[in-house]
Amino acid sequence: EDIGVVKINGCDILSDIKKVYSLHNKKPELPLGFDVIAESKNGIQAMKKINIIGLMFHAEVLNKEIIKKFTTF
């Protein structure tokens, strides 16, 4: 279960992010053509396909800098 502050291993646009705020117990499967760009000990936290990024955490709570990155991505 990933609820609260969760440590992640990220790459790509999330390489400098070490902790995120997560509020779920879902374990998504990676959609066809997507790459994992962040994981916690319990599974995928973010994925990317070309310029489409999916997050399983709440960037607006702990990682507002991610939102700023999206405006220049």
Side-chain angles (χ1 to χ4, degrees):
E1 225 173 68
D2 281 334
I3 297 178
V5 177
V6 176
K7 292 181 183 178
I8 65 166
N9 294 315
C11 64
D12 200 275
I13 194 171
L14 302 177
S15 62
D16 57 336
I17 305 299
K18 303 301 176 205
K19 293 181 182 178
V20 298
Y21 184 81
S22 185
L23 190 58
H24 66 84
N25 59 3
K26 309 269 189 263
K27 292 186 180 182
E29 292 185 24
L30 191 63
L32 186 63
F34 278 77
D35 295 312
V36 174
I37 59 171
E39 290 183 281
S40 69
K41 66 179 180 176
N42 292 322
I44 298 169
Q45 288 291 336
M47 60 193 81
K48 177 182 175 184
K49 179 180 180 180
I50 306 170
N51 64 345
I52 300 168
I53 295 176
L55 302 177
M56 291 297 294
F57 58 88
H58 294 270
E60 75 281 5
V61 175
L62 191 59
N63 310 102
K64 292 181 175 80
E65 70 273 18
I66 294 172
I67 297 168
K68 290 178 186 176
K69 285 184 181 185
F70 287 164
T71 62
T72 61
F73 182 65

